[in-house]
Coordinates of all heavy atoms in Angstrom, one line a residue:
M1284 N 5.5 -8.3 14.4 CA 5.9 -7.0 14.2 C 4.8 -6.0 14.0 O 4.9 -4.9 14.5 CB 6.8 -6.9 12.9 CG 8.2 -7.4 13.1 SD 9.4 -7.3 11.7 CE 8.9 -5.9 10.8
V1285 N 3.7 -6.5 13.4 CA 2.5 -5.6 13.2 C 2.0 -5.1 14.6 O 1.7 -4.0 14.8 CB 1.4 -6.3 12.4 CG1 0.2 -5.4 12.4 CG2 1.9 -6.6 11.0
R1286 N 1.9 -6.1 15.5 CA 1.5 -5.8 16.9 C 2.4 -4.8 17.6 O 1.9 -3.8 18.1 CB 1.3 -7.0 17.7 CG 0.8 -6.8 19.1 CD 0.7 -8.1 19.9 NE 2.0 -8.7 20.1 CZ 2.9 -8.4 20.9 NH1 2.8 -7.3 21.7 NH2 4.1 -9.1 21.0
V1287 N 3.7 -4.9 17.5 CA 4.6 -4.0 18.1 C 4.5 -2.6 17.5 O 4.5 -1.6 18.2 CB 6.1 -4.6 18.0 CG1 7.1 -3.5 18.4 CG2 6.2 -5.9 18.7
F1288 N 4.5 -2.6 16.1 CA 4.3 -1.3 15.5 C 3.0 -0.6 15.9 O 3.0 0.6 16.2 CB 4.3 -1.4 14.0 CG 5.7 -1.6 13.4 CD1 5.8 -2.3 12.2 CD2 6.8 -1.2 14.0 CE1 7.0 -2.6 11.6 CE2 8.1 -1.4 13.4 CZ 8.2 -2.1 12.2
G1289 N 1.9 -1.4 16.0 CA 0.6 -0.8 16.5 C 0.7 -0.3 17.9 O 0.1 0.8 18.2
E1290 N 1.3 -1.0 18.8 CA 1.5 -0.6 20.2 C 2.3 0.7 20.3 O 1.9 1.6 21.0 CB 2.1 -1.7 21.0 CG 1.2 -2.9 21.2 CD 1.9 -4.0 21.9 OE1 3.1 -3.9 22.2 OE2 1.2 -5.1 22.1
L1291 N 3.4 0.8 19.5 CA 4.2 2.0 19.5 C 3.4 3.2 19.0 O 3.5 4.3 19.5 CB 5.5 1.7 18.7 CG 6.5 0.8 19.4 CD1 7.6 0.5 18.4 CD2 7.1 1.4 20.7
H1292 N 2.7 3.0 17.9 CA 1.9 4.0 17.3 C 0.9 4.5 18.3 O 0.6 5.7 18.4 CB 1.3 3.6 16.0 CG 0.5 4.6 15.3 ND1 1.1 5.7 14.7 CD2 -0.8 4.7 15.1 CE1 0.1 6.5 14.2 NE2 -1.1 5.9 14.5
A1293 N 0.2 3.6 18.9 CA -0.9 3.9 19.9 C -0.3 4.7 21.1 O -1.0 5.5 21.6 CB -1.6 2.6 20.3
A1294 N 0.9 4.5 21.4 CA 1.6 5.2 22.5 C 2.1 6.5 22.0 O 2.7 7.2 22.8 CB 2.7 4.3 23.0
G1295 N 1.8 6.9 20.8 CA 2.2 8.2 20.3 C 3.6 8.3 19.8 O 4.2 9.4 19.6
R1296 N 4.2 7.1 19.6 CA 5.6 7.1 19.0 C 5.6 7.1 17.5 O 4.7 6.6 16.9 CB 6.3 5.8 19.5 CG 6.3 5.6 21.0 CD 7.2 6.5 21.8 NE 8.6 6.4 21.6 CZ 9.4 5.6 22.2 NH1 9.0 4.8 23.1 NH2 10.7 5.6 21.9
T1297 N 6.6 7.7 17.0 CA 6.8 7.7 15.5 C 7.5 6.3 15.2 O 8.5 6.0 15.8 CB 7.7 8.8 15.0 OG1 7.0 10.0 15.4 CG2 8.0 8.7 13.6
V1298 N 7.0 5.6 14.2 CA 7.5 4.3 13.8 C 7.9 4.4 12.4 O 7.2 4.8 11.5 CB 6.4 3.2 14.0 CG1 7.0 1.9 13.6 CG2 5.9 3.2 15.4
I1299 N 9.2 4.0 12.1 CA 9.7 3.9 10.8 C 10.0 2.5 10.5 O 10.8 1.9 11.3 CB 10.9 4.8 10.6 CG1 10.6 6.3 10.8 CG2 11.5 4.6 9.2 CD1 11.7 7.2 10.9
G1300 N 9.5 1.9 9.4 CA 9.8 0.5 9.1 C 10.4 0.5 7.7 O 10.0 1.4 6.8
I1301 N 11.3 -0.4 7.4 CA 11.9 -0.6 6.1 C 11.6 -2.0 5.6 O 11.9 -2.9 6.3 CB 13.4 -0.3 6.1 CG1 13.7 1.1 6.6 CG2 14.0 -0.5 4.7 CD1 15.1 1.4 6.9
S1302 N 10.9 -2.1 4.5 CA 10.6 -3.4 4.0 C 10.3 -3.4 2.5 O 9.9 -2.4 1.9 CB 9.3 -3.9 4.7 OG 8.9 -5.2 4.3
H1303 N 10.6 -4.6 1.9 CA 10.2 -4.8 0.5 C 8.9 -5.5 0.4 O 8.4 -5.8 -0.7 CB 11.3 -5.6 -0.2 CG 12.6 -4.8 -0.5 ND1 13.7 -4.9 0.3 CD2 12.8 -3.8 -1.4 CE1 14.6 -4.0 -0.2 NE2 14.1 -3.4 -1.2
D1304 N 8.3 -5.9 1.5 CA 7.0 -6.6 1.6 C 5.9 -5.5 1.5 O 5.5 -5.0 2.6 CB 6.9 -7.4 2.8 CG 5.6 -8.2 2.9 OD1 4.7 -7.9 2.2 OD2 5.6 -9.1 3.8
L1305 N 5.5 -5.2 0.3 CA 4.5 -4.1 0.2 C 3.2 -4.4 0.7 O 2.4 -3.5 1.0 CB 4.5 -3.6 -1.3 CG 5.9 -3.1 -1.8 CD1 5.7 -2.4 -3.1 CD2 6.5 -2.1 -0.8
H1306 N 2.8 -5.7 0.8 CA 1.5 -6.1 1.5 C 1.6 -5.6 2.9 O 0.7 -5.0 3.4 CB 1.3 -7.6 1.3 CG 0.1 -8.1 2.1 ND1 0.3 -8.6 3.4 CD2 -1.2 -8.1 1.9 CE1 -0.9 -8.9 3.9 NE2 -1.8 -8.6 3.0
F1307 N 2.7 -6.0 3.6 CA 2.9 -5.6 5.0 C 2.9 -4.1 5.1 O 2.3 -3.5 6.0 CB 4.2 -6.2 5.5 CG 4.8 -5.6 6.8 CD1 4.2 -5.9 8.0 CD2 5.9 -4.8 6.7 CE1 4.6 -5.4 9.2 CE2 6.3 -4.2 7.9 CZ 5.7 -4.5 9.1
V1308 N 3.6 -3.4 4.2 CA 3.7 -1.9 4.3 C 2.3 -1.3 4.1 O 1.9 -0.4 4.9 CB 4.7 -1.4 3.2 CG1 4.6 0.1 3.0 CG2 6.1 -1.8 3.5
A1309 N 1.5 -1.8 3.1 CA 0.2 -1.2 2.9 C -0.7 -1.4 4.1 O -1.5 -0.6 4.4 CB -0.4 -1.8 1.6
E1310 N -0.6 -2.6 4.7 CA -1.5 -2.9 5.8 C -1.1 -2.3 7.1 O -1.9 -2.1 8.0 CB -1.5 -4.5 6.0 CG -2.1 -5.3 4.9 CD -3.6 -5.3 4.8 OE1 -4.2 -4.9 5.8 OE2 -4.1 -5.6 3.8
T1311 N 0.2 -1.8 7.2 CA 0.7 -1.4 8.5 C 0.9 0.1 8.7 O 0.7 0.7 9.7 CB 2.0 -2.1 8.8 OG1 1.8 -3.5 8.7 CG2 2.5 -1.8 10.2
F1312 N 1.3 0.8 7.6 CA 1.7 2.2 7.7 C 0.7 3.1 7.0 O 0.2 2.8 5.9 CB 3.1 2.3 7.1 CG 4.1 1.6 7.9 CD1 4.6 0.3 7.5 CD2 4.6 2.0 9.1 CE1 5.5 -0.4 8.2 CE2 5.5 1.3 9.9 CZ 6.0 0.1 9.4
A1313 N 0.6 4.3 7.5 CA -0.3 5.3 6.9 C 0.5 6.1 5.9 O -0.2 6.8 5.0 CB -0.8 6.3 8.0
R1314 N 1.8 6.1 5.9 CA 2.6 6.8 5.0 C 3.6 5.9 4.4 O 4.2 5.1 5.2 CB 3.3 8.0 5.6 CG 4.2 8.8 4.7 CD 4.8 10.0 5.4 NE 5.7 10.7 4.5 CZ 6.6 11.5 4.9 NH1 6.7 11.8 6.2 NH2 7.4 12.1 4.0
V1315 N 3.8 6.0 3.1 CA 4.8 5.1 2.4 C 5.8 6.0 1.6 O 5.3 6.9 0.9 CB 4.1 4.1 1.4 CG1 5.1 3.3 0.7 CG2 3.1 3.3 2.1
V1316 N 7.1 5.7 1.8 CA 8.1 6.4 1.0 C 8.8 5.4 0.3 O 9.4 4.4 0.9 CB 9.0 7.2 1.9 CG1 10.1 7.9 1.1 CG2 8.3 8.3 2.8
V1317 N 8.9 5.5 -1.1 CA 9.6 4.6 -1.9 C 10.9 5.2 -2.4 O 10.9 6.3 -2.9 CB 8.8 4.1 -3.1 CG1 9.5 3.2 -4.1 CG2 7.5 3.4 -2.6
L1318 N 12.0 4.5 -2.2 CA 13.3 5.0 -2.6 C 13.7 4.3 -3.9 O 13.5 3.1 -4.0 CB 14.3 4.9 -1.5 CG 14.1 5.6 -0.2 CD1 15.2 5.2 0.8 CD2 14.0 7.1 -0.4
A1319 N 14.3 5.0 -4.8 CA 14.9 4.4 -6.0 C 16.2 5.1 -6.3 O 16.3 6.4 -6.4 CB 14.0 4.5 -7.2
A1320 N 17.3 4.4 -6.4 CA 18.6 4.9 -6.7 C 19.0 6.0 -5.7 O 19.5 7.1 -6.0 CB 18.7 5.5 -8.1
G1321 N 18.6 5.8 -4.4 CA 19.0 6.7 -3.3 C 18.1 8.0 -3.3 O 18.4 8.9 -2.5
R1322 N 17.1 8.1 -4.1 CA 16.2 9.3 -4.1 C 14.8 8.9 -3.8 O 14.4 7.7 -4.1 CB 16.3 10.0 -5.4 CG 17.7 10.4 -5.8 CD 17.6 11.4 -6.9 NE 18.9 11.8 -7.3 CZ 19.7 12.7 -6.7 NH1 19.3 13.3 -5.6 NH2 20.9 13.0 -7.2
I1323 N 14.0 9.8 -3.3 CA 12.6 9.5 -3.0 C 11.8 9.5 -4.4 O 11.8 10.5 -5.1 CB 12.0 10.6 -2.1 CG1 12.6 10.5 -0.7 CG2 10.4 10.4 -2.0 CD1 12.2 11.6 0.2
A1324 N 11.3 8.4 -4.7 CA 10.5 8.2 -6.0 C 9.0 8.4 -5.7 O 8.4 9.0 -6.6 CB 10.7 6.8 -6.5
L1325 N 8.5 8.0 -4.6 CA 7.1 8.2 -4.3 C 7.0 8.5 -2.8 O 7.8 7.9 -2.0 CB 6.3 6.9 -4.6 CG 6.2 6.5 -6.0 CD1 5.7 5.1 -6.2 CD2 5.4 7.5 -6.9
D1326 N 6.0 9.2 -2.4 CA 5.7 9.6 -1.0 C 4.3 9.9 -0.8 O 3.8 10.8 -1.4 CB 6.6 10.8 -0.6 CG 6.5 11.2 0.9 OD1 5.7 10.5 1.6 OD2 7.2 12.1 1.3
G1327 N 3.6 9.1 0.0 CA 2.1 9.4 0.2 C 1.5 8.3 1.0 O 2.2 7.4 1.5
S1328 N 0.2 8.3 1.0 CA -0.6 7.2 1.7 C -0.5 5.9 0.8 O -0.1 6.0 -0.4 CB -2.0 7.6 1.8 OG -2.6 7.6 0.5
P1329 N -0.8 4.8 1.4 CA -0.8 3.5 0.6 C -1.7 3.7 -0.6 O -1.3 3.2 -1.7 CB -1.3 2.5 1.6 CG -0.8 3.0 2.9 CD -1.0 4.5 2.8
A1330 N -2.9 4.3 -0.5 CA -3.8 4.4 -1.6 C -3.1 5.3 -2.7 O -3.3 5.0 -3.9 CB -5.1 5.1 -1.2
E1331 N -2.4 6.3 -2.4 CA -1.7 7.1 -3.4 C -0.5 6.4 -4.0 O -0.4 6.3 -5.2 CB -1.2 8.4 -2.7 CG -2.3 9.3 -2.3 CD -1.8 10.4 -1.3 OE1 -0.7 10.3 -0.7 OE2 -2.5 11.4 -1.2
V1332 N 0.4 5.8 -3.2 CA 1.6 5.2 -3.7 C 1.3 4.0 -4.5 O 2.0 3.7 -5.5 CB 2.5 4.9 -2.5 CG1 3.7 4.0 -2.9 CG2 3.0 6.2 -1.9
F1333 N 0.3 3.2 -4.1 CA 0.0 1.9 -4.8 C -1.1 2.1 -5.9 O -1.5 1.1 -6.4 CB -0.3 0.8 -3.8 CG 0.8 0.6 -2.8 CD1 0.6 0.5 -1.5 CD2 2.1 0.4 -3.3 CE1 1.6 0.3 -0.6 CE2 3.2 0.2 -2.4 CZ 2.9 0.1 -1.0
A1334 N -1.5 3.3 -6.2 CA -2.4 3.5 -7.3 C -1.7 3.1 -8.6 O -0.5 3.3 -8.8 CB -2.8 5.0 -7.3
E1335 N -2.5 2.7 -9.6 CA -2.0 2.1 -10.8 C -1.1 3.1 -11.6 O -0.1 2.7 -12.2 CB -3.2 1.7 -11.7 CG -2.7 0.9 -12.9 CD -3.9 0.3 -13.7 OE1 -5.1 0.6 -13.4 OE2 -3.6 -0.5 -14.6
D1336 N -1.4 4.4 -11.5 CA -0.5 5.3 -12.2 C 0.9 5.4 -11.7 O 1.8 6.0 -12.3 CB -1.2 6.7 -12.4 CG -1.5 7.3 -11.0 OD1 -1.8 6.6 -10.1 OD2 -1.4 8.6 -10.9
H1337 N 1.1 4.9 -10.5 CA 2.5 4.9 -9.9 C 3.2 3.6 -10.0 O 4.4 3.5 -9.6 CB 2.4 5.3 -8.4 CG 2.0 6.7 -8.2 ND1 1.1 7.1 -7.2 CD2 2.5 7.8 -8.8 CE1 1.0 8.4 -7.3 NE2 1.8 8.9 -8.2
W1338 N 2.6 2.6 -10.6 CA 3.3 1.3 -10.8 C 4.6 1.4 -11.6 O 5.5 0.7 -11.2 CB 2.3 0.3 -11.4 CG 1.2 -0.1 -10.5 CD1 0.9 0.4 -9.3 CD2 0.1 -1.0 -10.9 NE1 -0.3 -0.2 -8.8 CE2 -0.8 -1.0 -9.8 CE3 -0.2 -1.8 -12.0 CZ2 -1.9 -1.8 -9.7 CZ3 -1.3 -2.6 -11.9 CH2 -2.1 -2.6 -10.8
P1339 N 4.7 2.2 -12.6 CA 6.0 2.3 -13.3 C 7.1 2.7 -12.3 O 8.2 2.2 -12.4 CB 5.8 3.3 -14.4 CG 4.3 3.2 -14.7 CD 3.7 3.0 -13.3
A1340 N 6.8 3.7 -11.4 CA 7.9 4.1 -10.5 C 8.2 3.0 -9.5 O 9.4 2.9 -9.1 CB 7.4 5.4 -9.7
L1341 N 7.2 2.3 -9.1 CA 7.4 1.1 -8.2 C 8.3 0.1 -8.9 O 9.3 -0.4 -8.3 CB 6.1 0.4 -7.8 CG 5.2 1.2 -6.8 CD1 3.9 0.5 -6.7 CD2 5.9 1.3 -5.5
R1342 N 8.0 -0.2 -10.1 CA 8.8 -1.2 -10.9 C 10.3 -0.7 -11.1 O 11.2 -1.5 -11.0 CB 8.1 -1.5 -12.2 CG 6.9 -2.3 -11.9 CD 6.3 -3.0 -13.2 NE 5.2 -3.8 -12.8 CZ 3.9 -3.4 -13.0 NH1 3.6 -2.3 -13.6 NH2 2.9 -4.2 -12.6
E1343 N 10.4 0.6 -11.3 CA 11.8 1.2 -11.4 C 12.6 1.0 -10.1 O 13.8 0.9 -10.2 CB 11.7 2.7 -11.8 CG 11.4 2.9 -13.2 CD 11.3 4.4 -13.6 OE1 12.0 5.2 -12.9 OE2 10.6 4.7 -14.5
A1344 N 11.9 0.9 -9.0 CA 12.5 0.7 -7.7 C 12.7 -0.8 -7.4 O 13.1 -1.2 -6.4 CB 11.7 1.4 -6.6
G1345 N 12.3 -1.6 -8.4 CA 12.3 -3.1 -8.2 C 11.2 -3.7 -7.3 O 11.4 -4.7 -6.7
L1346 N 10.1 -3.0 -7.3 CA 9.0 -3.4 -6.4 C 7.7 -3.6 -7.3 O 7.6 -3.1 -8.3 CB 8.7 -2.3 -5.4 CG 9.8 -1.9 -4.5 CD1 9.5 -0.6 -3.7 CD2 10.2 -3.0 -3.6
E1347 N 6.8 -4.5 -6.8 CA 5.5 -4.7 -7.4 C 4.5 -4.3 -6.4 O 4.6 -4.5 -5.2 CB 5.4 -6.2 -7.7 CG 6.2 -6.7 -8.8 CD 5.7 -6.1 -10.2 OE1 4.5 -5.9 -10.4 OE2 6.6 -5.8 -11.0
P1348 N 3.4 -3.7 -6.9 CA 2.3 -3.3 -6.0 C 1.7 -4.5 -5.3 O 1.8 -5.6 -5.8 CB 1.3 -2.6 -6.9 CG 1.6 -3.1 -8.2 CD 3.1 -3.4 -8.3
P1349 N 1.1 -4.3 -4.1 CA 0.4 -5.4 -3.4 C -0.6 -6.1 -4.3 O -1.2 -5.5 -5.2 CB -0.2 -4.8 -2.2 CG 0.5 -3.5 -2.0 CD 0.9 -3.1 -3.4
A1350 N -0.9 -7.4 -4.0 CA -1.9 -8.1 -4.8 C -3.3 -7.4 -4.8 O -3.9 -7.4 -5.8 CB -2.0 -9.6 -4.3
A1351 N -3.7 -6.9 -3.7 CA -5.0 -6.3 -3.6 C -5.0 -5.1 -4.6 O -6.1 -4.8 -5.2 CB -5.2 -5.8 -2.2
A1352 N -4.0 -4.3 -4.7 CA -3.9 -3.2 -5.6 C -4.0 -3.7 -7.1 O -4.8 -3.1 -7.9 CB -2.6 -2.4 -5.4
R1353 N -3.3 -4.8 -7.4 CA -3.4 -5.3 -8.8 C -4.8 -5.8 -9.1 O -5.3 -5.6 -10.2 CB -2.3 -6.4 -9.0 CG -0.9 -5.8 -8.9 CD 0.2 -6.8 -9.3 NE 0.1 -8.1 -8.7 CZ 0.7 -8.5 -7.5 NH1 1.4 -7.6 -6.9 NH2 0.5 -9.7 -7.1
I1354 N -5.4 -6.5 -8.1 CA -6.7 -7.1 -8.4 C -7.8 -6.0 -8.5 O -8.6 -6.0 -9.4 CB -7.1 -8.0 -7.2 CG1 -6.3 -9.3 -7.2 CG2 -8.6 -8.4 -7.3 CD1 -6.3 -10.1 -6.0
G1355 N -7.7 -5.0 -7.6 CA -8.6 -3.8 -7.7 C -8.5 -3.1 -9.0 O -9.5 -2.7 -9.6
A1356 N -7.3 -2.9 -9.5 CA -7.1 -2.3 -10.8 C -7.7 -3.1 -12.0 O -8.4 -2.6 -12.8 CB -5.6 -2.0 -11.1
R1357 N -7.5 -4.4 -11.9 CA -8.0 -5.3 -13.0 C -9.5 -5.2 -13.0 O -10.2 -5.4 -14.0 CB -7.6 -6.7 -12.8 CG -6.2 -6.9 -13.3 CD -6.1 -8.3 -13.9 NE -4.8 -8.4 -14.5 CZ -4.0 -9.4 -14.4 NH1 -4.3 -10.5 -13.7 NH2 -2.8 -9.4 -15.1
L1358 N -10.1 -5.1 -11.8 CA -11.6 -5.0 -11.7 C -12.2 -3.6 -11.9 O -13.4 -3.4 -11.8 CB -12.0 -5.6 -10.4 CG -11.7 -7.1 -10.2 CD1 -12.1 -7.5 -8.8 CD2 -12.4 -8.0 -11.2
G1359 N -11.3 -2.6 -12.1 CA -11.7 -1.3 -12.3 C -12.3 -0.6 -11.0 O -13.1 0.2 -11.1
L1360 N -11.7 -1.0 -9.9 CA -12.2 -0.5 -8.6 C -11.4 0.7 -8.1 O -11.7 1.2 -7.0 CB -12.1 -1.6 -7.6 CG -13.0 -2.8 -7.9 CD1 -12.7 -3.9 -6.8 CD2 -14.4 -2.5 -7.9
G1361 N -10.4 1.1 -8.8 CA -9.5 2.2 -8.3 C -8.5 1.7 -7.4 O -8.1 0.5 -7.4
S1362 N -7.9 2.6 -6.6 CA -6.8 2.2 -5.7 C -7.3 1.4 -4.5 O -8.1 1.9 -3.7 CB -6.1 3.4 -5.2 OG -5.0 3.1 -4.4
T1363 N -6.9 0.2 -4.4 CA -7.2 -0.7 -3.3 C -5.9 -1.4 -2.8 O -5.7 -2.5 -3.0 CB -8.2 -1.8 -3.8 OG1 -7.6 -2.6 -4.9 CG2 -9.5 -1.3 -4.2
P1364 N -5.1 -0.6 -2.0 CA -3.8 -1.1 -1.6 C -3.9 -2.3 -0.6 O -2.9 -3.0 -0.5 CB -3.1 0.1 -1.0 CG -4.3 0.9 -0.5 CD -5.4 0.7 -1.5
T1365 N -5.0 -2.4 0.2 CA -5.1 -3.4 1.2 C -6.2 -4.3 0.9 O -7.1 -4.0 0.1 CB -5.3 -2.8 2.6 OG1 -6.6 -2.1 2.6 CG2 -4.2 -1.8 2.9
E1366 N -6.2 -5.5 1.5 CA -7.3 -6.4 1.4 C -8.6 -5.8 1.8 O -9.7 -6.0 1.2 CB -7.0 -7.7 2.1 CG -5.9 -8.5 1.4 CD -5.1 -9.4 2.2 OE1 -5.5 -9.6 3.4 OE2 -4.2 -10.0 1.7
A1367 N -8.6 -5.0 2.9 CA -9.8 -4.4 3.5 C -10.3 -3.4 2.4 O -11.6 -3.3 2.2 CB -9.5 -3.7 4.8
A1368 N -9.5 -2.6 1.8 CA -9.9 -1.7 0.8 C -10.5 -2.4 -0.4 O -11.5 -1.9 -1.0 CB -8.7 -0.8 0.3
L1369 N -9.9 -3.5 -0.8 CA -10.5 -4.3 -1.9 C -11.9 -4.8 -1.6 O -12.8 -4.7 -2.4 CB -9.5 -5.4 -2.2 CG -10.0 -6.4 -3.4 CD1 -10.2 -5.6 -4.7 CD2 -9.0 -7.5 -3.5
V1370 N -12.0 -5.4 -0.4 CA -13.3 -5.9 0.0 C -14.4 -4.8 0.1 O -15.5 -4.9 -0.4 CB -13.2 -6.6 1.4 CG1 -14.6 -6.9 2.0 CG2 -12.4 -7.9 1.2
N1371 N -14.0 -3.6 0.6 CA -14.9 -2.5 0.7 C -15.3 -2.0 -0.7 O -16.5 -1.7 -0.9 CB -14.3 -1.3 1.5 CG -14.2 -1.6 3.0 OD1 -14.9 -2.4 3.5 ND2 -13.3 -0.9 3.6
A1372 N -14.4 -1.9 -1.6 CA -14.7 -1.5 -3.0 C -15.6 -2.5 -3.7 O -16.6 -2.1 -4.4 CB -13.4 -1.4 -3.8
L1373 N -15.4 -3.8 -3.4 CA -16.2 -4.8 -4.0 C -17.6 -4.8 -3.4 O -18.7 -4.9 -4.1 CB -15.6 -6.2 -3.8 CG -14.4 -6.6 -4.7 CD1 -13.8 -7.8 -4.1 CD2 -14.9 -6.8 -6.1
T1374 N -17.7 -4.6 -2.1 CA -19.0 -4.4 -1.4 C -19.8 -3.2 -1.9 O -21.0 -3.3 -2.2 CB -18.8 -4.4 0.1 OG1 -18.1 -5.5 0.5 CG2 -20.1 -4.3 0.8
S1375 N -19.1 -2.1 -2.1 CA -19.7 -0.9 -2.6 C -20.2 -1.1 -4.0 O -21.3 -0.6 -4.3 CB -18.7 0.3 -2.5 OG -18.4 0.6 -1.2
R1376 N -19.5 -1.7 -4.8 CA -19.8 -1.9 -6.2 C -21.1 -2.9 -6.2 O -22.0 -2.6 -7.0 CB -18.7 -2.5 -7.0 CG -19.1 -2.7 -8.5 CD -17.9 -2.9 -9.3 NE -17.6 -4.4 -9.4 CZ -16.7 -4.9 -10.2 NH1 -15.9 -4.1 -10.9 NH2 -16.5 -6.2 -10.2
S1377 N -21.1 -3.9 -5.4 CA -22.3 -4.8 -5.4 C -23.5 -4.1 -4.9 O -24.6 -4.4 -5.4 CB -22.0 -6.0 -4.4 OG -20.9 -6.8 -5.0
A1378 N -23.4 -3.2 -3.9 CA -24.5 -2.5 -3.4 C -25.1 -1.5 -4.4 O -26.3 -1.3 -4.4 CB -24.1 -1.7 -2.1
R1379 N -24.3 -1.0 -5.3 CA -24.8 -0.1 -6.3 C -25.6 -0.8 -7.5 O -26.3 -0.2 -8.2 CB -23.7 0.7 -6.9 CG -23.1 1.8 -6.0 CD -22.0 2.5 -6.6 NE -20.8 1.8 -6.3 CZ -19.6 2.0 -6.8 NH1 -19.5 2.8 -7.8 NH2 -18.6 1.3 -6.4
R1380 N -25.4 -2.1 -7.6 CA -26.0 -2.8 -8.7 C -27.4 -3.2 -8.4 O -28.1 -3.3 -7.5 CB -25.3 -4.1 -9.0 CG -23.9 -3.8 -9.6 CD -23.2 -5.0 -10.0 NE -22.0 -4.7 -10.7 CZ -21.3 -5.5 -11.3 NH1 -21.6 -6.8 -11.3 NH2 -20.2 -5.1 -12.0

């Protein structure tokens, strides 16, 4: 599915995906819209939507942030919604030491 979405996006097509797999969502889409009780609860980039201050809204929608976001928050790295963002934050932190 990731390949198909990527090909459609590269062809200039608008792609809308619906999933409860937030790892997949964070890795695949530039914009995330979270619905709760039929209303938009969150709308933004993966970094915005999966930032720690939005976790209560995610939980109200029955969702948990991706593992990379939870690990990044525990390590004090800020918003790291994807594995690549987590690795980049860890690398940057190591370079500053």
Side-chain angles (χ1 to χ4, degrees):
M1284 280 185 31
V1285 173
R1286 182 181 57 79
V1287 172
F1288 284 151
E1290 289 172 1
L1291 290 170
H1292 180 71
R1296 306 290 297 270
T1297 298
V1298 179
I1299 298 173
I1301 301 170
S1302 179
H1303 287 100
D1304 181 347
L1305 298 188
H1306 173 265
F1307 166 73
V1308 169
E1310 296 283 345
T1311 307
F1312 297 99
R1314 180 178 175 200
V1315 179
V1316 178
V1317 176
L1318 300 176
R1322 300 197 184 279
I1323 295 174
L1325 297 168
D1326 182 356
S1328 70
E1331 294 166 338
V1332 170
F1333 299 130
E1335 190 171 8
D1336 59 327
H1337 289 135
W1338 293 1
L1341 288 172
R1342 289 192 177 107
E1343 286 180 25
L1346 303 168
E1347 287 293 324
R1353 294 190 311 268
I1354 293 166
R1357 281 214 172 136
L1358 295 175
L1360 300 173
S1362 183
T1363 57
T1365 64
E1366 290 155 4
L1369 178 59
V1370 169
N1371 288 339
L1373 287 167
T1374 303
S1375 294
R1376 184 166 87 174
S1377 294
R1379 286 181 271 166
R1380 290 183 173 189

